[in-house]
Amino acid sequence: MSPVPAAPYQKRWVMLLQLVAVGAGLVLGIVIRPEAVTTLLFSAVLQLVATVIGWRGIGGPVAYAGAVALVVLGAAADPALRELLYVGGFPYAHLGLALATQALVSRARTVTGLIVGVVLLAAAVAALAAATTAQGAPISTALLASSVPVLVGGLIATSSQLRRARRDRVSQGGEMIAPSMPPEAGRAASSLLTVALLSESLGDEASDARTAVWSEQVRRIALRGLGAEPSGDAERLQVQLEIRAERDHADEALADATKADASPRGTATEPDGTDVTGAPGGAHEPNDPGEPPSELTDREREIVRLLRTGASNAAIARDLYLSEATIKGHVSRLMRRHDCGNRTQLALLATRWSL
């Protein structure tokens, strides 16, 4: 079976806009500096390579930022291209900086990658400002003009994140799956939730873009089965999943994950059948597994509510206006506190809590 190709990271019209910028820069360059046609052609090839990297997401957003920075640094180092930068005959430089910034802010997976990308873009901005200054422009004006594409790209990425967070928050008030669902439906929903959570974990740990794309596709299919993520052009209605399975029909995986929490510590049985515990004061009734632990903070309750819907760490972070690293920290502490080996066990355990 042939592998499924990775999905584009940029929309088709964005790629076409970049191709138009490359073509326009090449035509303007030949008109203004016809003697530098070889340099212009080589620069156009670099721009096309950077366009493909950004469109297909090859190497991630850091690689895209590096490719755009290389194009700008190369243009700033050549006298003919430097003149084109100054007169506006090199449109790809500004467009590429804006798109690379947007990709870096939206898709950077690690703090290290974000820092490296910022350094690369800062070097490109500095080179662009230096090229403008070399043509006689004041340094303050050159820095301001060179920083505008980066600011625009960051603003677009931030606005997109806020729109997604607002849409997720509003859609949480959607239709609830009935708590009285049949046990078979509860087990099916638990299985789909497990698939979604495991796929997200695999995507976070993936070392290549293709595996990350496959994992995201599997996660979306599982959430679609839960009714949490519609397909196509259907109305984007987020359906929150709440599973309250009967105790005698609990899933075996859930029973294994919650065995220590669901049973009282030190329980023993007398010959007459009376249960006793090792705690002072005699018998002690176990806590209702449907009741959440009393030590959960308000923030942890919010995270748990979203975690048991199958939401990813990134989606939870957008919804609560927190960083993804903060969400990961909360989830890790909850896993250790409740003796869960992974976030899937934690989510399955949380489906029995009445939050």
Side-chain angles (χ1 to χ4, degrees):
M1 181 181 296
S2 59
V4 179
Y9 278 80
Q10 291 178 343
K11 296 181 179 180
R12 182 170 299 178
W13 68 267
V14 176
M15 181 198 65
L16 294 177
L17 181 62
Q18 294 178 78
L19 294 179
V20 170
V22 174
L26 181 60
V27 172
L28 289 174
I30 293 176
V31 171
I32 297 174
R33 298 296 297 269
E35 70 281 4
V37 61
T38 303
T39 302
L40 292 170
L41 289 174
F42 180 73
S43 178
V45 171
L46 291 180
Q47 295 170 53
L48 292 175
V49 171
T51 299
V52 173
I53 290 175
W55 178 52
R56 303 300 298 184
I58 301 173
V62 178
Y64 185 33
V68 172
L70 179 62
V71 171
V72 177
L73 290 171
D78 185 87
L81 298 181
R82 193 185 305 147
E83 181 182 352
L84 292 177
L85 287 173
Y86 177 73
V87 299
F90 203 103
Y92 183 84
H94 299 84
L95 178 62
L97 284 175
L99 294 175
T101 303
Q102 187 271 338
L104 185 67
V105 175
S106 300
R107 305 202 312 267
R109 289 182 174 270
T110 63
V111 176
T112 302
L114 181 62
I115 293 175
V116 173
V118 168
V119 170
L120 291 171
L121 293 176
V125 170
L128 190 60
T132 306
T133 305
Q135 300 297 320
I139 183 63
S140 58
T141 304
L143 283 174
L144 180 60
S146 302
S147 302
V148 168
V150 174
L151 296 176
V152 171
L155 180 61
I156 293 174
T158 303
S159 300
S160 300
Q161 296 275 7
L162 291 176
R163 281 198 303 270
R164 284 195 294 267
R166 183 168 58 251
R167 182 190 63 211
D168 293 343
R169 181 176 293 276
V170 170
S171 61
Q172 283 178 12
E175 178 184 354
M176 301 284 292
I177 295 180
S180 59
M181 66 172 66
E184 294 78 8
R187 285 195 292 271
S190 296
S191 299
L192 287 172
L193 178 60
T194 302
V195 170
L197 292 168
L198 289 176
S199 300
E200 191 225 337
S201 299
L202 178 61
D204 290 340
E205 299 171 0
S207 57
D208 60 285
R210 186 179 297 274
T211 302
V213 170
W214 284 348
S215 302
E216 176 63 17
Q217 290 175 349
V218 172
R219 188 183 74 87
R220 291 175 66 88
I221 292 172
L223 292 179
R224 193 178 303 155
L226 293 171
E229 189 165 345
S231 59
D233 297 327
E235 182 180 1
R236 303 185 61 85
L237 178 61
Q238 198 81 333
V239 181
Q240 183 181 6
L241 173 67
E242 183 176 356
I243 304 173
R244 294 180 179 175
E246 298 293 335
R247 293 176 61 181
D248 54 346
H249 296 290
D251 186 83
E252 293 181 0
L254 177 59
D256 293 338
T258 61
K259 183 177 180 181
D261 293 330
S263 59
R265 291 176 293 181
T267 300
T269 305
E270 293 290 350
D272 61 356
T274 304
D275 291 337
V276 297
T277 64
H284 175 69
E285 290 294 331
N287 291 331
D288 184 357
E291 292 296 326
S294 57
E295 69 272 13
L296 285 180
T297 64
D298 291 340
R299 178 65 72 192
E300 289 172 341
R301 288 173 181 267
E302 290 179 330
I303 292 174
V304 166
R305 288 192 190 99
L306 295 172
L307 180 65
R308 67 184 188 180
T309 67
S312 64
N313 287 337
I316 296 175
R318 290 197 305 267
D319 188 83
L320 300 180
Y321 301 101
L322 298 173
S323 68
E324 188 172 352
T326 300
I327 300 301
K328 288 182 178 179
H330 280 292
V331 172
S332 298
R333 285 191 291 272
L334 287 168
M335 287 167 49
R336 289 193 300 268
R337 186 186 308 164
H338 300 288
D339 195 24
C340 296
N342 51 55
R343 72 195 305 271
T344 303
Q345 292 181 359
L346 176 62
L348 291 173
L349 174 62
T351 58
R352 304 188 70 187
W353 294 344
S354 301
L355 295 174

